[in-house]
Amino acid sequence: MTKHIFACFILLLTPLTVTLATETKDTPLLIVWEKTLDDAVAKAKTSGKPILLDFFAPT
Amino acid sequence: MTYPDARVGGYISKNFIPLQINIQSSSGLAGKYRTFWTPTLIILDSLGTEYYRFSGFLPPDEFIPQLQFGLGFMSLEKQDYKSASARLKLVVDKYPGSDIAPEAQYWFGVSEYKATHSVDALLNAWKKIKTDYPGSIWAKKVSFVKD
């Protein structure tokens, strides 16, 4: 009985592990962009990080 | 593309507060930062003061070293020489083949000199440009230094 439960647990866990590993390797980390300078300055002051300002033109 | 690259996303998220502004509807911000072309990337401190910028697309292998250099240059301008030296040295050590590496080595020498007032530290850093990056404009800038 214990063996059966353990086997089920492994079967359930394996796809989850593979999914997590795949996401870590292949999925890009999303950049959470601020939309206003005021918001960015507020977060920069709190975090101590500098701001990376990206001027873009929509394509 | 640069931003979808996981290394770029990770680097930006770790080191910056990212702010993206549409230049066509920036309501004065493009004017404030004298920007007329995209992409233009500007590193600001937490007060919104500009310290470094570059324009034009770069692939990840050049983009990340540029940002790392910008952080180092900001530290240098802020006269935080310990941080500047560490950040600029990281550019050279981690991205030695990047186009910004010889410039990073140049300013690393300046940072070391500012921190220690050691002329030897400056000249040793600059001599490394002549040996490691002889074809760069930065080698020409230090070409007066005797071997």
Side-chain angles (χ1 to χ4, degrees):
Chain A
M1 181 65 181
T2 308
K3 270 186 181 176
H4 180 69
I5 292 171
F6 184 71
C8 287
F9 179 72
I10 294 294
L11 281 173
L12 285 171
L13 196 62
T14 302
L16 177 66
T17 310
V18 170
T19 303
L20 287 174
T22 304
E23 284 181 355
T24 304
K25 184 172 179 286
D26 298 330
T27 306
L29 288 170
L30 287 178
I31 301 169
V32 182
W33 296 98
E34 298 300 323
K35 301 298 179 193
T36 72
L37 180 61
D38 287 345
D39 288 347
V41 164
K43 287 200 173 180
K45 283 177 179 170
T46 304
S47 66
K49 293 179 183 178
I51 298 164
L52 180 63
L53 169 55
D54 172 22
F55 281 104
F56 75 101
T59 51
Chain B
M1 296 302 289
T2 305
Y3 289 137
D5 187 285
R7 293 167 298 165
V8 173
Y11 184 85
I12 289 176
S13 299
K14 180 182 174 186
N15 293 288
F16 295 99
I17 301 299
L19 168 63
Q20 203 165 40
I21 298 291
N22 182 341
I23 197 169
Q24 295 170 0
S25 56
S26 69
S27 63
L29 215 53
K32 175 177 177 166
Y33 289 106
R34 309 168 327 279
T35 301
F36 58 91
W37 194 247
T38 63
T40 291
L41 281 296
I42 307 177
I43 294 178
L44 314 171
D45 70 3
S46 60
L47 299 175
T49 303
E50 175 180 343
Y51 281 90
Y52 185 69
R53 74 163 59 196
F54 62 94
S55 296
F57 168 82
L58 284 176
D61 288 344
E62 293 291 343
F63 187 81
I64 293 173
Q66 279 279 344
L67 294 183
Q68 180 65 31
F69 176 82
L71 288 174
F73 203 78
M74 180 172 72
S75 295
L76 187 57
E77 289 186 83
K78 285 179 173 285
Q79 300 180 27
D80 180 355
Y81 301 123
K82 185 178 177 184
S83 171
S85 288
R87 286 171 158 174
L88 293 166
K89 188 172 187 301
L90 186 67
V91 176
V92 179
D93 289 348
K94 196 168 181 182
Y95 313 103
S98 65
D99 286 344
I100 198 71
E103 185 172 355
Q105 181 65 25
Y106 181 94
W107 291 112
F108 169 73
V110 173
S111 180
E112 289 291 284
Y113 173 74
K114 290 281 189 180
T116 63
H117 300 292
S118 164
V119 175
D120 283 345
L122 176 68
L123 296 181
N124 286 336
W126 282 4
K127 284 175 187 172
K128 189 171 172 4
I129 302 174
K130 293 173 76 175
T131 56
D132 291 359
Y133 305 103
S136 70
I137 192 171
W138 297 95
K140 291 177 183 170
K141 287 175 189 269
V142 299
S143 56
F144 64 91
V145 176
K146 291 183 177 139
D147 294 324

